[in-house]
Amino acid sequence: LVGNLDINNNLTSSAGTLTLAAEQNINQLATTQIDGANINITSRSGDINQNGTINNQSGTLTLSAAQSVDMGITGSTNSSGAVTISGGDLTLQAVTAQGDLLATSTSGGIQQANTLQSASGNIELDSAGTISMTSNASSIAGGDIGHVSVGDQQLAQLTASGGSISIETGNGRIIDGNGGVMNLIADSISIRADSGIGTTADAIETGAQNIDIINNGTGNSVVNLNNTGNVIVHKLVNQCDTTLNNTNELTLDHHAAGLTPGTVSLTFI
C-alpha cells in the first residue's frame, strides 16, 4: 500500500500469516483488535501508531517501522510466541509474550510506560539513544533481561525470575526511576556504565546473590547500590566514590573483585 494504512475495524486471520504493510504510517484505532498468527506489521517509511489490541496466536509477532513505533495507552499486545519490535523511536506499553521479547530503537530512544512480560523467554531492549522507564513500568522475564544503550538509562523494576540481568550503557549513566522501590531482582546482576550507577542521593536497589559492577567514573561519577540478601561481589570497579550497602552477608570474590581509586564504603546489616 502506498500512503497510510488506517485500521478502523477488527481484523482476523484464522490460518496462515497475517501481514499488514504500508509505505507511510499505519494507524490502529483504539477500539479495534487484530487477531492472527505470525502477525507482521511493517511501515516502510513512516510510523506505527498502535492504539488497539493485537493478539498473536502463534509464531512471532513483528512490528517494524522506519520512524517510530508508538504503543498508545489504550493499546495492548499479546503473543503466544515471540515479539520483535523495531523502529527509530519506541514507546512501549503493555506487552505479554510466551517467548522472547526483543525491542530495538535504531536511531532514537526507548520509552517504557507499562509492563513487559515474557513467561518463558528473555527480554532485551537495545537502544541507539536512551532507555527510560516510568516509575510504574516493569519488566518480568522467565529467562534473562538485557538492556543495552548508547545513552542514559532510567530504571524502574526488572525481575528475571529464572535468569540474570545485564545493564550496559556505552556513554551514559544508570539512574533510579522509582524511588525506594527495588530496581533489579535476579540471581546475578551485571552493570556497565560510563558516568555513574545511581547517584549520591539515590541508590540503585538490587536483590541479587551475585553482582558484577564496572563504572568508568567519567565526570567524577559515583557508584551507589543498596542490595538485599546474601551477595557475592565479583567486581566492584569505579574511578571515584563507591558505596554498597547490603542487608545480609557480603562476600568479596578475591579472584575477580577490583576496588579502584576513590572512597569505598561496604556495609552489611
Side-chain angles (χ1 to χ4, degrees):
L1 176 66
V2 177
N4 296 335
L5 171 60
D6 295 325
I7 302 168
N8 298 321
N9 294 286
N10 295 338
L11 295 175
T12 301
S13 174
S14 58
T17 298
L18 175 57
T19 299
L20 302 172
E23 190 64 34
Q24 299 299 325
N25 298 339
I26 297 177
N27 305 304
Q28 183 188 9
L29 193 68
T31 56
T32 63
Q33 186 165 302
I34 300 172
D35 291 278
N38 289 302
I39 297 173
N40 190 325
I41 302 175
T42 302
S43 170
R44 290 184 288 269
S45 301
D47 306 322
I48 294 174
N49 300 301
Q50 179 199 345
N51 295 298
T53 299
I54 299 176
N55 294 317
N56 187 62
Q57 304 301 332
S58 63
T60 299
L61 165 63
T62 302
L63 302 177
S64 176
Q67 299 300 322
S68 66
V69 176
D70 187 354
M71 294 179 169
I73 195 170
T74 58
S76 66
T77 304
N78 309 287
S79 177
S80 295
V83 175
T84 300
I85 305 166
S86 64
D89 290 287
L90 306 182
T91 301
L92 305 178
Q93 294 286 343
V95 180
T96 301
Q98 291 298 313
D100 292 342
L101 196 166
L102 172 63
T104 304
S105 72
T106 56
S107 59
I110 297 176
Q111 308 288 325
Q112 182 182 337
N114 211 315
T115 299
L116 305 181
Q117 185 164 1
S118 171
S120 58
N122 305 320
I123 296 176
E124 298 182 19
L125 272 57
D126 191 340
S127 175
T130 61
I131 296 175
S132 181
M133 302 175 69
T134 60
S135 60
N136 63 332
S138 63
S139 291
I140 305 168
D144 301 329
I145 297 178
H147 280 194
V148 177
S149 69
V150 174
D152 294 347
Q153 295 189 35
Q154 177 174 291
L155 303 179
Q157 186 168 97
L158 288 72
T159 304
S161 58
S164 62
I165 296 176
S166 174
I167 307 294
E168 179 178 351
T169 170
N171 298 317
R173 60 179 181 157
I174 309 296
I175 59 174
D176 186 5
N178 63 356
V181 179
M182 192 75 73
N183 296 117
L184 307 175
I185 304 169
D187 177 76
S188 298
I189 292 172
S190 172
I191 305 178
R192 300 290 185 268
D194 179 63
S195 52
I197 299 171
T199 65
T200 302
D202 194 353
I204 298 295
E205 290 85 20
T206 60
Q209 298 177 44
N210 299 273
I211 61 174
D212 187 314
I213 307 295
I214 298 177
N215 181 56
N216 292 339
T218 298
N220 296 319
S221 54
V222 303
V223 170
N224 189 6
L225 298 174
N226 291 338
N227 188 72
T228 299
N230 298 337
V231 65
I232 299 174
V233 180
H234 297 277
K235 286 188 178 69
L236 186 58
V237 179
N238 188 32
Q239 297 300 314
C240 300
D241 294 349
T242 300
T243 301
L244 171 58
N245 297 307
N246 193 63
T247 57
N248 291 340
E249 293 184 5
L250 186 153
T251 302
L252 293 179
D253 181 351
H254 67 280
H255 294 293
L259 301 176
T260 51
T263 300
V264 178
S265 175
L266 301 176
T267 62
F268 59 93
I269 302 172

